[in-house]
Structures are given as structure tokens and as C-alpha cells.
Amino acid sequence: MRRRHVGVLVVVGLEAVNAATWLVFPPADDGRPDFLRQCLAEFAASAAVLLFAVALVLATRARWIEPFFGGLDRMYRVHRRAAVAGFLLLVAHVTVVPWLLDSPGGTPSGLIAFVGIVVLVLLSIGPRLPLLRNLITVSYRSWRHSHKLIGLFFAFGFAHALLVDQVVETTVVPFALLLAAYVVGIVAYLYTVLLARFVRPRYRYVIDDVRRLNPTTLEVSLRPRKARRLVFTSGQFVFVKIRRSGLREPHPFTVSSSPSEDRLRLTIKAVGDYTARLHAHAEAGCRATVEGSYGMLDYRRAGRRQIWIAGGIGITPFLSWLREMERPDERRIDLYYTVRQPAEALFQDEMRAAAVRNPGLRVHLNVSAETGSLTVDRIVADQAADLADADVFMCGPVPMVKAFERGFRRRGLPSARIHFEEFSFR
């Protein structure tokens, strides 16, 4: 079993343990009406609490957890899925539970927790759903600030659990597990909002140079303000906060420079409100805080035959890899760089120079406006041998990455040989 699967198995295992405790140590029937219905509702609530606690723990961005999920991007994917699954179980709890409205403290706290979590979950998943996309529009900045309230509503849920008359309180083991989940979730939340800023690895930088490469893309060069500088592996990403009005919220960016460079380079495309402001207002002299590094996309851990696929600004981790290859590499690498228009194809001279230094590297530029979309079939047709021993690395828009993943899987390439970054933290 690969270490990157351990995290998901632990989450599933926690839910299985919770279900087992309810079966082995069932609550005592105290003769109340709708006892079975009450038990089902409380079991759904306990399962939801466990998942929300998991989501809060993963939101800490604790670096020691990252390897057990295969990278911070996958940690956040599990974070989102745990929160959504917890939300559905919470809805089941509210739907099934017999509403007695006999607790002056428990009922209001439960309603506050439920309504608050519903609103925050809809703000998170609404923009992803076709039916809600046009109704729920919120900027990343507003979403990020509102999302911090999730732990507060989780605490209201804890108050609700303590104040209402639950059947779970009649059985020690399930009740102890429920309380432990609440405590762990609340501690994780308090760590995130109060302590993480002092514990996470942060470095002080200043923007040294800004190059606007085309109307939508810029390269920002940062130098450390002190001797302490970021240590990273090529292909990793960082969270950057520019200390200037309108740019202070931290955003993740892949480092495009080599680890051996004395400057940190970020290649950024204006694809949203924040990156558009950054493209317009970033300038030399602006101070920045860099947190990281994160991510586990590393070509050096894979085999000798590799296929790299970059879509648009997804070229950034591959730039870092190419810039690190100062001497010929023994691997045979095909880099496919696909863009919509010729003006979007950046760093072509660097890529050609890297191919000269490394005879095993071939660079393929695909301009979809001229030659159509890049497809798995076109890549396979270009290969001299089958894909059985190839490792595929991808970075780009999520729909593109998912389409290529499905295509390679249909071609028989095992998932262990398909590597990509899910660069979405909302």
C-alpha cells in the first residue's frame, strides 16, 4: 500500500469504527417515542461530526500529514469531500430526528449550527454546480473570510450535543468517540485561526523585479529580505501574501525557478479577481510573505520514461524542473505544452535550450487554435513505444487534467503512473 493512500483509509476507518461502536454498544432503549428514529438521527449526526472534524484537521495544512494524502492539493480534495459528506449526513440528521423543541439552549444552538454550515457549504460548492453557479457568486477573498466561520458553527454543534437529551449519552463508547471528535475538531480550528501563523514556515521576501510577459501573464522575482530563505523542491508551490492594499490575501502559486537560484520566481496568469489585481499592481519594492513549501509532484521519483503535459499556466512546475536540469538527464522525457493562441506560449527559448542540454528531452508545442486540442490519441501516436512503462505528469486546467487522466486510464496506464496536481483550494 502506498503511503499517499493512508490518509483516505484512516478517514474511512474512522467512520467504520464509529459505525461499529453503535452496533456493538447500542444506546439503551429508555422507552421514548420514536426511539429507533432517534438512534438513526444521532448516528447520522455522529458520522457527520467525525467528517467535519477531519475537514478541520486537514485545514490546518500540517506538513506532516501531507505525505499520507499524496500532497496538499489532495489533502484539500479530501477536506472538501469530507465536508460535503458531513453536510449531507447533517441534513439526514435534521430530517430524521424527532423535533421536540423542548431544550431552550439545545434547540437554538443546533439550528444556528445547521443554518451556518448550510450557508458556508453552499458558498463553497455552489460555484461548482451548474444550477447554482449563476446564483451564488462570491469572490475568493469573501469566501476565504467567511469560510473561517466553519469552526464556530462546529462549536455551536458541540453546545447543541451537550444541551439536548441524546440517547447516545446512555452508551459510553459511541459518546466518548463523539466527544473526542468535537474536541479534536475545535482544537484544530483554534490552531488554524490563532496559532498556525506562528508555526507554519514563513519567509520574508521583497519583489525584486516584475516582467509582464503578455497581456495576462507576469513573472515575479522575489529576493529574501534576510539570510533565511525558502528551501523547496522543484515543482512545489507556496502561499504568497503581497503586503500591499488589495493584494494581502495569501494565494498559492507554483515556484517556477530552480531551487539553486538566489531569487524565487513565480509565473502568474490573471485568471481571477486577485491575479488580475496582481498583474495590474505588482511592482518592485513590494514586501511579501512566503509560506511553504508544499506539494509532492516530483519527476525524480518516477521512472526513466516520462510524459509531461502542461496546459497554459500549468507550465510552471515543468519550468522549475527544466531550470534544475543543468546537466544532461538520463530520462527520456516528452514535454507537451498546449496553449490556445501563439502569444500564450511562453519561455520557448528556455525550453529549446533545455532540449539542447538534454538529448533525452523533446518539447512539443500545441496551439489549439491552429492544430486543434491536444489529445491522448495524438500523444500515443507520437510515441515510439506503448505507454506501459511511462509515467505521466500533468498540470493545467482541471477539466483538461481529468480528461487526460480518463484517456490514459482507458489506454491501460495504471493510476500509480499518472501524476497531477489538483490546483484548486476553494
Side-chain angles (χ1 to χ4, degrees):
M1 181 181 65
R2 293 176 176 268
R3 187 167 63 160
R4 64 188 177 95
H5 296 143
V6 171
V8 174
L9 291 177
V10 168
V11 176
V12 174
L14 285 172
E15 288 295 320
V17 168
N18 182 56
T21 61
W22 277 80
L23 290 173
V24 177
F25 307 98
D29 189 345
D30 56 5
R32 72 178 68 194
D34 299 318
F35 173 75
L36 180 58
R37 183 178 165 189
Q38 183 77 27
C39 286
L40 290 174
E42 290 187 24
F43 168 71
S46 67
V49 169
L50 268 175
L51 289 172
F52 283 130
V54 165
L56 289 168
V57 168
L58 297 182
T60 63
R61 296 209 296 259
R63 298 176 77 190
W64 66 270
I65 303 178
E66 189 179 4
F68 299 104
F69 289 87
L72 185 64
D73 56 320
R74 285 166 172 77
M75 273 178 61
Y76 269 87
R77 178 178 66 179
V78 176
H79 163 85
R80 288 194 300 270
R81 291 180 176 178
V84 171
F87 165 71
L88 295 175
L89 286 165
L90 183 60
V91 171
H93 167 74
V94 172
T95 303
V96 174
V97 70
W99 283 84
L100 301 178
L101 304 178
D102 59 352
S103 174
T107 300
S109 59
L111 287 173
I112 291 172
F114 176 68
V115 173
I117 290 174
V118 167
V119 171
L120 294 181
V121 169
L122 288 177
L123 288 176
S124 294
I125 67 174
R128 302 171 183 270
L129 302 177
L131 295 177
L132 299 177
R133 188 173 297 152
N134 295 327
L135 298 176
I136 301 177
T137 56
V138 59
S139 68
Y140 176 84
R141 182 179 183 181
S142 298
W143 169 84
R144 179 175 167 271
H145 287 302
S146 65
H147 202 62
K148 291 180 179 180
L149 297 173
I150 190 71
L152 181 62
F153 294 120
F154 184 77
F156 270 103
F158 189 25
H160 168 72
L162 295 177
L163 292 171
V164 296
D165 181 20
Q166 302 182 97
V167 296
V168 71
E169 295 176 10
T170 66
T171 181
V172 175
V173 178
F175 188 53
L177 185 58
L178 177 68
L179 293 181
Y182 269 121
V183 170
V184 169
I186 291 172
V187 169
Y189 172 67
L190 293 175
Y191 167 83
T192 300
V193 297
L194 299 178
L195 298 178
R197 70 185 69 181
F198 305 109
V199 177
R200 288 172 181 160
R202 294 187 174 194
Y203 306 85
R204 295 181 179 181
Y205 276 77
V206 62
I207 295 179
D208 193 48
D209 185 39
V210 176
R211 295 173 56 212
R212 288 174 172 80
L213 306 175
N214 62 31
T216 60
T217 310
L218 74 162
E219 183 180 68
V220 178
S221 176
L222 303 104
R223 58 176 171 82
R225 290 168 54 197
K226 295 185 177 182
R228 186 168 175 260
R229 58 191 290 269
L230 174 77
V231 176
F232 67 97
T233 301
S234 58
Q236 288 191 303
F237 62 91
V238 295
F239 287 84
V240 180
K241 178 191 290 187
I242 308 295
R243 297 193 173 277
R244 181 168 182 167
S245 178
L247 302 176
R248 292 181 180 275
E249 60 193 68
H251 270 251
F253 298 110
T254 299
V255 180
S256 55
S257 52
S258 164
S260 62
E261 296 181 37
D262 60 355
R263 295 291 190 272
L264 197 65
R265 285 193 275 176
L266 309 173
T267 307
I268 302 166
K269 184 174 182 179
V271 293
D273 293 340
Y274 177 83
T275 47
R277 293 197 303 271
L278 187 62
H279 188 278
H281 301 297
E283 61 183 12
C286 290
R287 294 187 175 186
T289 300
V290 179
E291 177 198 319
S293 54
Y294 298 100
M296 300 184 68
L297 200 67
D298 190 349
Y299 74 98
R300 293 170 300 183
R301 298 181 181 181
R304 296 185 62 179
R305 185 174 174 223
Q306 300 184 11
I307 296 171
W308 300 354
I309 303 172
I313 199 61
I315 192 64
T316 48
F318 304 111
L319 279 175
S320 183
W321 291 353
L322 293 177
R323 288 166 173 169
E324 187 182 39
M325 291 180 178
E326 297 178 353
R327 292 184 294 273
D329 192 280
E330 63 179 7
R331 296 170 181 82
R332 176 187 164 191
I333 300 169
D334 283 277
L335 168 58
Y336 292 87
Y337 180 24
T338 180
V339 296
R340 291 190 181 90
Q341 301 291 337
E344 297 177 4
L346 306 172
F347 304 104
Q348 289 298 290
D349 291 341
E350 272 197 71
M351 294 182 193
R352 284 190 286 267
V356 171
R357 294 195 307 269
N358 296 273
L361 171 66
R362 295 194 303 167
V363 178
H364 313 263
L365 175 63
N366 181 79
V367 180
S368 57
E370 298 175 351
T371 59
S373 298
L374 181 67
T375 64
V376 172
D377 290 340
R378 289 176 60 182
I379 292 174
V380 171
D382 189 54
Q383 300 297 305
D386 62 35
L387 301 177
D389 63 341
D391 280 274
V392 176
F393 290 86
M394 301 181 289
C395 189
V398 173
M400 182 204 83
V401 170
K402 294 296 185 183
F404 274 110
E405 181 190 19
R406 291 192 296 269
F408 283 115
R409 291 290 297 275
R410 284 196 296 268
R411 286 279 182 168
L413 195 65
S415 58
R417 288 189 174 272
I418 303 174
H419 318 272
F420 55 89
E421 216 164 47
E422 296 189 25
F423 217 67
S424 176
F425 293 93
R426 176 171 171 172

